[in-house]
Amino acid sequence: AQSVTQPDIHITVSEGASLELRCNYSYGATPYLFWYVQSPGQGLQLLLKYFSGDTLVQGIKGFEAEFKRSQSSFNLRKPSVHWSDAAEYFCAVGANPPRGNDMRFGAGTRLTVKP
Amino acid sequence: NAGVTQTPKFQVLKTGQSMTLQCAQDMNHEYMSWYRQDPGMGLRLIHYSVGAGITDQGEVPNGYNVSRSTTEDFPLRLLSAAPSQTSVYFCASSDTGLAYSSYNEQFFGPGTRLTVL
């Protein structure tokens, strides 16, 4: 079964600085890959997903992620972080094509934004 | 549309008590699911349903029951609560019989924080 690892439990960046959150997956082929954001007290919201084609994916709120097959990675980036980006971020992997519900989530990375 | 709604927001139970977590969606979505979120473990799937009358187990189904009598509702039942079930529970739905595909996604409710003493 597929799995996903988020190596960083907590990251702190200054407002206006760039951001990169790491995600590594385990899967035998090209999977579906997702990034979700969870603001305090809220449910998860999809930022972006990848399943084929262009390896650089644009998402909402100015986020992007790059699929690198050779590194089994799908890192999330943002060029300039805003205070409102403080949240928890989850990477997830799913089989491709989809089967049942086999999405697996990483443990999450908590982002703190310093003024 | 209200989207995916969950009640209650918070609940405290004693060991051995039973309760039902409610989940409803008003988007006519076929697929609904329940996850639990524990620190350091991300979200894990408990049960899911691909339509009314159809349910199946996820990764961590033990101690939980579900049923799907209508498209809109997908309640999660704890028959005899245990401290290990202390968690935040999320319900999600999507508009096909799959959790995800190239053209759809899951929408999540705001969660229910459950504490079992």
Side-chain angles (χ1 to χ4, degrees):
Chain A
Q2 61 273 23
S3 64
V4 62
T5 302
Q6 295 180 247
D8 305 305
I9 296 174
H10 186 204
I11 284 182
T12 299
V13 300
S14 297
E15 190 168 16
S18 63
L19 172 69
E20 182 169 26
L21 302 182
R22 296 185 291 163
C23 172
N24 295 101
Y25 69 90
S26 173
Y27 186 70
T30 299
Y32 273 78
L33 291 161
F34 309 82
W35 275 101
Y36 286 86
V37 60
Q38 183 183 29
S39 298
Q42 303 296 315
L44 278 68
Q45 180 184 21
L46 181 67
L47 287 174
L48 47 81
K49 68 181 175 185
Y50 172 81
F51 59 96
S52 69
D54 192 345
T55 57
L56 186 63
V57 181
Q58 301 296 322
I60 62 172
K61 305 187 180 188
F63 286 92
E64 66 178 27
E66 186 171 12
F67 170 62
K68 292 186 177 180
R69 184 193 308 276
S70 62
Q71 299 177 19
S72 296
S73 69
F74 188 57
N75 294 350
L76 182 71
R77 301 193 294 247
K78 188 170 185 178
S80 178
V81 170
H82 188 261
W83 63 267
S84 60
D85 293 323
E88 187 143 22
Y89 292 80
F90 292 93
C91 183
V93 61
N96 190 355
R99 293 194 305 266
N101 185 351
D102 53 5
M103 183 183 288
R104 296 292 182 267
F105 287 82
T109 298
R110 181 169 301 279
L111 173 65
T112 298
V113 180
K114 292 191 303 184
Chain B
N1 286 350
V4 180
T5 58
Q6 293 183 238
T7 55
K9 290 186 186 297
F10 302 94
Q11 183 71 49
V12 179
L13 292 178
K14 294 181 180 179
T15 297
Q17 288 185 314
S18 64
M19 81 159 296
T20 299
L21 307 185
Q22 300 292 344
C23 174
Q25 52 89 10
D26 61 357
M27 299 173 282
N28 201 32
H29 284 177
E30 296 178 43
Y31 180 94
M32 296 185 74
S33 59
W34 276 102
Y35 293 88
R36 60 177 290 172
Q37 182 183 31
D38 301 296
M41 301 190 73
L43 275 72
R44 292 180 292 167
L45 180 67
I46 304 171
H47 286 285
Y48 67 99
S49 168
V50 299
I54 305 169
T55 63
D56 207 345
Q57 296 181 351
E59 286 182 86
V60 289
N62 292 342
Y64 307 95
N65 281 349
V66 293
S67 60
R68 183 100 178 266
S69 56
T70 66
T71 300
E72 295 77 19
D73 301 298
F74 191 44
L76 178 72
R77 298 182 187 86
L78 285 70
L79 298 180
S80 179
S84 61
Q85 294 178 304
T86 294
S87 187
V88 181
Y89 291 85
F90 288 99
C91 180
S93 72
S94 80
D95 63 356
T96 68
L98 296 170
Y100 61 90
S101 72
S102 59
Y103 55 85
N104 79 318
E105 64 177 273
Q106 288 194 89
F107 293 89
F108 286 81
T112 294
R113 184 174 294 275
L114 175 67
T115 301
V116 183
L117 302 175

